[in-house]
């Protein structure tokens, strides 16, 4: 850790030096960070004072290294540099997502702040406390308002030497968001950047790069010469250990099966392997694997349905915070998980939070609560028919169920309506039959009356000048009246018959129209399909799988580099 050599190349030009420590465990990371800051502080104190920037120490994600209450070894050199380094022309750029994780004295010693969108009000209030400590004259309410309104890619710049804050937006940049690098990817990054290995740091965990995200970026002349660079080793270093790290007590351990061949793994990873590529073994990396099964049971909706959801978190946040929605994976049958690792496999180190049993128990509870909050199924419903079906019934099947239920209720209503109309029609038909019988009688009586009237008329003509003509005339008139009455009865019966026939026809037409209206109405009811969201009870959510899973990677040597190709996935 010769700081002058890290800041300047052999030709005297300033350069960036990147320290890669993701592969170390917690204790090793703390040791190295403390050692690095102590070395920079020692070098800094050997420099003359200046009002210009001589070097910049950039630390991404300082969570755990500068905490508000605990006192890890890294905290004191960081605090001293925050207070004194500016006098020697050394700047510190410290990055965090949560201001509550940073010591208050550190916040109050920062002169320049770049503030982006914050997740919680607690983070905002802690940040405002630090700003107020750094510059007592600030308008807290105004800063609170500005920070609350920050959008994506918009930042607030606060400089203790300026009267007002400045809002600015970052440039657009292309970023594949691939996440942290693995050790096997570092040689490829250095090759891309044209980096060389420094002989004095050839055993360091990461080589020196002339252009990358920097932990030190100087702007002055070198203080010491640097030995010339040496070529990298020909054989790529094999990562991992042959000894599998111990899983915390009480935590389940799983082995994801090695189901992909090397060609399949390369295809899934979108790589083309050269002809001279050769296998170098299998490496297992620890991941967080979780799977929950939930039963949705609702008698009202005739619902009895089970679903599963799984999450695979490759690089969980060290603080034990996981957004489960961002890590979906295919569900697993626990019986298909491997019982042991592949022969002669190597293992990566186990790091926080996977090495902390308490954090994992908290994450398991959070996973269960996430399932309670987010698990939901839609029940297909026809409220009018009281027909319900779960997700296992297709839309076509449900519509057929609704149609069948509608047919049954339609048939029942048609039968009821038809019975009512049949009773009315039967009553009219009985009246019609009775009236037809009366018509027959009236016609017979009318014919008889006509015959009697005709006979009486003939008698009257024959004895017009004889005795008793007065009596015969009276009888003839009486017969005429009786004939007319019989004729009126016939006509009345005929009219009644026509009326009954008309009423029967009208009832039949009304019955037909009513049946058509019933058919149309039940057809519309059958198409009244909606969806009702149903959430589970907490007691019905079971966490089937939760713990540390070993994810297999094929180690492939190609073009002097060691590639890691995922050995688990969809075939």
């Amino acid at each position: 850790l010769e700081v002058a050599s890290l800041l300047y190349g052999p030709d005297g030009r300033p350069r960036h030096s990147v320290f890669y420590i993701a592969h170390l465990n917690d204790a090793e990371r703390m040791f190295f960070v403390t050692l690095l800051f102590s070395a920079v502080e020692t070098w800094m104190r050997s420099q003359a004072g200046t009002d210009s920037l001589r070097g910049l120490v950039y630390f991404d994600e300082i969570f755990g290294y500068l905490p508000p209450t605990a006192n890890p070894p890294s905290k004191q050199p960081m605090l001293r540099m925050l207070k004194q380094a500016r006098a020697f022309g050394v700047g510190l750029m410290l990055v965090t997502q949560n201001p509550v994780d940073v010591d208050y004295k550190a916040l109050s010693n920062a002169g320049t702040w770049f503030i982006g969108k914050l997740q919680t009000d607690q983070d905002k209030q802690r940040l405002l406390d630090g700003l107020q400590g750094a510059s007592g004259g600030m308008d807290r309410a105004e800063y609170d308002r500005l920070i609350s309104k920050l959008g994506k890619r918009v930042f607030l710049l606060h400089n203790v030497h300026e009267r007002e804050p400045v809002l600015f937006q970052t440039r657009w940049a292309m970023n594949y968001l691939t996440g942290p690098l693995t050790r096997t990817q570092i040689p490829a990054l250095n090759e891309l950047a044209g980096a060389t290995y420094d002989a004095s740091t050839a055993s360091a965990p990461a080589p020196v790069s002339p252009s990358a995200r920097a932990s030190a970026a100087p702007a002055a002349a070198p203080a010491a010469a640097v030995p010339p660079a040496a070529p990298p080793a020909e054989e790529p270093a094999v990562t991992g250990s042959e000894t599998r790290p111990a899983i915390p007590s009480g935590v389940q351990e799983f082995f994801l099966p090695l189901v992909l061949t090397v060609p399949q793994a390369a295809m899934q990873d979108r790589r083309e392997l050269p002809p001279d590529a050769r296998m170098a073994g299998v490496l297992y990396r620890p991941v967080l694997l979780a799977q929950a099964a939930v039963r949705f049971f609702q008698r009202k909706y005739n619902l009895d349905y089970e679903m599963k959801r799984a999450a695979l978190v490759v690089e969980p946040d060290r603080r034990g915070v996981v957004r489960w929605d961002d890590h979906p994976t295919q569900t697993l049958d626990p019986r298909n998980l491997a019982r042991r690792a592949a022969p002669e496999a190597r293992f990566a180190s186990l790091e926080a939070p996977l090495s902390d049993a308490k954090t994992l128990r908290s994450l398991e509870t959070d996973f269960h609560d996430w399932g309670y909050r987010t698990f939901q199924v839609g029940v297909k419903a026809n409220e009018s028919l009281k027909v319900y079906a779960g997700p296992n019934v297709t839309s076509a099947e449900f519509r057929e169920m609704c149609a069948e239920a509608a047919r049954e209720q339609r048939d029942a209503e048609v039968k009821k309506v038809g019975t009512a109309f049949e009773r009315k029609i039967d009553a009219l038909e009985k009246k019609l039959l009775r009236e037809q019988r009366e018509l027959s009688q009236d016609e017979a009586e009318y014919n008889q009356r006509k015959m009697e009237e005709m006979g009486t008329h003939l008698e009257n003509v024959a004895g017009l000048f004889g005795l008793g003509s007065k009596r015969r005339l009276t009888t003839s008139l009486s017969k005429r009246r009786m004939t007319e009455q019989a004729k009126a009865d016939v006509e009345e019966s005929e009219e009644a018959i026509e009326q009954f026939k008309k009423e029967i026809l009208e009832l039949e037409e009304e019955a037909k129209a009513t049946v058509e209206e019933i058919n149309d109405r039940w057809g519309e009811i059958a198409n009244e399909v909606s969806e009702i969201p149903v959430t589970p009870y907490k007691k019905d959510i079971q966490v089937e799988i939760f713990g540390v899973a070993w994810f297999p990677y094929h180690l492939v040597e190609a073009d002097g580099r060691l590639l890691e190709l995922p050995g688990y996935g969809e075939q």
Side-chain angles (χ1 to χ4, degrees):
L1 293 179
E2 186 179 345
V3 178
S5 300
L6 298 174
L7 294 176
Y8 303 98
D11 56 1
R13 289 187 300 174
R15 63 178 178 181
H16 298 162
S17 293
V18 180
F19 296 94
Y20 180 84
I21 59 174
H23 62 294
L24 304 178
N25 60 37
D26 288 345
E28 291 170 340
R29 274 197 292 266
M30 180 60 70
F31 172 78
F32 178 76
V33 169
T34 305
L35 194 63
L36 175 63
F37 271 83
S38 298
V40 174
E41 184 184 14
T42 301
W43 171 83
M44 173 190 77
R45 295 190 183 279
S46 67
Q47 306 302 308
T50 179
D51 58 358
S52 63
L53 187 64
R54 175 179 280 127
L56 181 67
V57 179
Y58 174 89
F59 195 146
D60 188 17
E61 192 52 73
I62 59 173
F63 168 74
Y65 297 97
L66 195 58
T69 55
N71 194 30
S74 61
K75 185 173 181 178
Q76 291 307 315
M78 283 187 179
L79 283 176
R80 286 195 300 269
M81 291 185 66
L82 280 166
K83 294 179 180 181
Q84 304 169 12
R86 62 175 60 89
F88 299 95
V90 177
L92 271 72
M93 181 176 287
L94 307 178
V95 184
T96 182
Q97 297 180 27
N98 302 92
V100 294
D101 296 334
V102 181
D103 186 270
Y104 177 82
K105 295 186 292 295
L107 291 176
S108 62
N109 275 280
T112 305
W113 302 62
F114 300 94
I115 304 165
K117 188 176 180 65
L118 298 175
Q119 299 297 323
T120 67
D121 186 68
Q122 184 181 6
D123 284 335
K124 182 176 65 176
Q125 297 306 322
R126 181 58 177 274
L127 188 140
L128 290 171
D129 291 340
L131 279 171
Q132 209 160 21
S135 53
M138 63 165 277
D139 185 347
R140 185 182 181 105
E142 177 64 13
Y143 273 76
D144 191 337
R145 184 186 66 81
L146 289 173
I147 295 173
S148 300
K149 290 185 176 181
L150 289 176
K152 294 181 179 180
R153 302 176 68 87
V154 178
F155 291 83
L156 183 147
L157 167 62
H158 169 77
N159 190 329
V160 293
H161 302 297
E162 301 293 339
R163 293 183 179 180
E164 296 180 352
V166 176
L167 290 178
F168 69 95
Q169 188 164 359
T170 62
R171 282 185 178 182
W172 287 101
M174 180 178 290
N175 190 334
Y176 290 102
L177 299 177
T178 57
L181 299 173
T182 63
R183 289 188 67 188
T184 56
Q185 291 175 309
I186 293 176
L189 177 63
N190 280 296
E191 181 180 345
L192 181 66
T196 58
Y197 285 80
D198 193 306
S200 63
T201 58
S203 60
V208 178
S209 170
S211 59
R213 189 169 61 178
S215 61
V226 180
E234 294 183 359
E235 290 293 331
V238 178
T239 58
S241 169
E242 295 180 357
T243 303
R244 185 170 84 248
I247 301 299
S249 177
V251 176
Q252 295 189 76
E253 182 180 25
F254 310 98
F255 292 91
L256 293 171
L258 189 65
V259 295
L260 298 180
T261 63
V262 173
Q264 289 172 337
M267 183 179 299
Q268 181 167 295
D269 205 40
R270 296 181 179 180
R271 290 180 179 270
E272 291 187 8
L273 296 178
D276 60 343
R278 67 179 185 87
M279 281 289 297
V282 175
L283 173 69
Y284 282 89
R285 290 193 175 277
V287 297
L288 181 60
L289 179 63
Q291 179 169 298
V294 56
R295 183 189 182 195
F296 295 87
F297 184 74
Q298 292 277 357
R299 293 184 183 277
K300 175 183 177 181
Y301 299 136
N302 192 28
L303 176 66
D304 190 356
Y305 179 74
E306 183 175 301
M307 69 178 293
K308 296 183 179 183
R309 291 177 69 179
L312 182 67
V313 188
V314 177
E315 294 181 353
D317 192 305
R318 297 174 60 81
R319 296 167 298 178
V321 179
V322 174
R323 290 178 57 86
W324 301 105
D325 290 310
D326 296 341
H327 306 280
T329 188
Q330 58 185 344
T331 55
L332 296 161
D333 186 342
R335 296 172 297 181
N336 293 337
L337 291 171
R339 296 184 179 181
R340 58 182 65 87
E344 300 181 2
R346 303 181 71 86
F347 297 86
S349 60
L350 192 66
E351 302 172 2
L354 301 181
S355 58
D356 187 346
K358 182 179 179 181
T359 303
L360 287 174
R361 286 193 294 271
S362 176
L363 281 172
E364 183 172 3
T365 301
D366 183 65
F367 179 68
H368 184 276
D369 292 343
W370 168 76
Y372 174 68
R373 295 191 308 269
T374 60
F375 282 25
Q376 179 177 293
V377 295
V379 172
K380 300 177 185 66
N382 189 310
E383 297 286 2
S384 300
L385 295 172
K386 303 301 179 186
V387 176
Y388 306 96
N392 51 328
V393 176
T394 66
S395 298
E397 292 171 340
F398 182 71
R399 291 188 180 279
E400 181 59 33
M401 291 169 59
C402 292
E404 182 63 28
R407 278 195 295 270
E408 292 177 0
Q409 297 192 43
R410 179 206 62 187
D411 292 346
E413 185 175 354
V414 167
K415 184 177 180 181
K416 181 179 178 180
V417 170
T419 301
F421 276 102
E422 285 176 1
R423 284 198 297 266
K424 292 179 181 179
I425 292 173
D426 285 345
L428 288 173
E429 287 179 343
K430 288 178 181 178
K431 291 180 181 180
L432 175 63
L433 185 61
R434 185 167 57 249
E435 199 64 42
Q436 286 174 339
R437 287 197 297 268
E438 290 180 4
L439 176 62
S440 297
Q441 294 172 0
D442 291 342
E443 287 177 340
E445 184 177 355
Y446 174 59
N447 291 330
Q448 184 179 354
R449 294 298 181 187
K450 285 197 300 182
M451 293 296 293
E452 290 177 353
E453 182 184 358
M454 182 63 69
T456 303
H457 180 68
L458 291 174
E459 288 178 1
N460 289 336
V461 172
L464 180 63
F465 301 104
L467 296 174
S469 59
K470 185 178 181 179
R471 183 184 63 82
R472 289 189 184 92
L473 182 59
T474 302
T475 301
S476 177
L477 292 175
S478 177
K479 294 294 184 180
R480 178 65 181 169
R481 287 194 299 271
M482 293 176 67
T483 302
E484 291 295 330
Q485 181 63 43
K487 181 180 179 182
D489 290 341
V490 169
E491 291 175 349
E492 181 182 353
S493 294
E494 288 177 343
E495 290 177 358
I497 289 172
E498 290 299 321
Q499 182 63 30
F500 287 145
K501 287 182 178 180
K502 181 180 179 182
E503 290 180 4
I504 290 173
L505 183 61
E506 289 176 350
L507 279 176
E508 288 176 344
E509 292 294 328
E510 184 180 353
K512 182 179 178 182
T514 303
V515 170
E516 289 179 355
E517 185 274 330
I518 292 173
N519 285 331
D520 294 341
R521 175 159 45 84
W522 283 106
E524 292 176 0
I525 291 174
N527 291 324
E528 294 176 359
V529 179
S530 61
E531 186 168 277
I532 301 173
V534 177
T535 56
Y537 299 109
K538 268 194 173 181
K539 64 180 180 64
D540 291 333
I541 300 175
Q542 178 187 1
V543 179
E544 290 185 328
I545 300 173
F546 193 93
V548 176
W550 292 101
F551 194 108
Y553 290 86
H554 292 289
L555 294 177
V556 179
E557 185 181 341
D559 297 331
R561 294 181 296 165
L562 199 60
L563 306 178
E564 293 183 15
L565 303 178
Y568 171 76
E570 296 184 2
Q571 292 176 281

